[in-house]
Amino acid sequence: MNEWLHPDLVGVYFPFNDYSLETRELQGHLNVSSIRLFAFEMKIQLSFSNLRQSFFQAVSNSSWANEGYLVCNKIDEDPDFRNEIQRLSNAFGIGIIKLNCDAVNESEILFPAQFKDVIDWDTVNRLAEDSPDFKKFLSDLTE
């Protein structure tokens, strides 16, 4: 029922090392946050045969976050296919990551996601109501 609601993986970025203490304190006083939320849709492989379903599942599952990514272990190298995923990425703002399962730190962002300033809080709330894991994630962020 919720296959197109829940992302496979969520993440958060805290800019603690990017900003000075004074900048972070000012953000707190202004009620501004630099924290970013990410949603990831994971697939084993991506080719023309599963592109539309995989991509639009990532769109659906990531709409609430600052950035959404489709992450794949194997991505078809065909130039026409690469052009199509780049076109879709540009049109819908979903980034594409080629996952290196043997060395995760060597994974590559093929197309970056478009950053969205606004979090869809209604969807975040629905995810928290439907998923105890996501609810715990939010609780841990608050701590």
Side-chain angles (χ1 to χ4, degrees), residues 41-64:
E41 183 64 32
M42 311 293 287
K43 300 295 178 193
I44 294 172
Q45 67 178 28
L46 190 61
S47 64
F48 273 122
S49 67
N50 69 343
L51 174 62
R52 297 270 184 246
Q53 180 175 350
S54 297
F55 192 87
F56 289 107
Q57 186 176 10
V59 169
S60 178
N61 293 349
S62 308
S63 63
W64 59 272

Side-chain angles (χ1 to χ4, degrees), residues 37 62-67 115-121 124:
L37 296 175
S62 308
S63 63
W64 59 272
N66 294 117
E67 295 183 35
F115 176 76
K116 295 180 280 191
D117 288 328
V118 179
I119 299 285
D120 176 357
W121 293 109
V124 168

Side-chain angles (χ1 to χ4, degrees), residues 2 8 17 21 25 34-36 43 51 58 61 69-70 73 77 79-81 108-109 113 127 135 137 141-142:
N2 289 324
D8 292 323
N17 292 327
L21 176 61
E25 286 177 353
S34 296
I35 294 171
R36 291 185 180 185
K43 300 295 178 193
L51 174 62
N61 293 349
Y69 283 91
L70 177 57
N73 183 37
E77 298 290 333
D80 290 336
F81 180 74
E108 178 183 4
I109 297 175
L127 288 167
K135 189 174 191 173
F137 171 74
L141 287 180
T142 303

Side-chain angles (χ1 to χ4, degrees), residues 96-139:
I96 307 293
I97 297 176
K98 185 170 189 327
L99 180 64
N100 182 333
C101 292
D102 297 323
V104 174
N105 290 338
E106 294 176 16
S107 298
E108 178 183 4
I109 297 175
L110 300 178
F111 306 107
Q114 292 174 4
F115 176 76
K116 295 180 280 191
D117 288 328
V118 179
I119 299 285
D120 176 357
W121 293 109
D122 290 332
T123 302
V124 168
N125 189 58
R126 173 135 184 245
L127 288 167
E129 289 173 352
D130 288 349
S131 170
D133 291 336
F134 191 76
K135 189 174 191 173
K136 172 118 174 61
F137 171 74
L138 295 179
S139 178

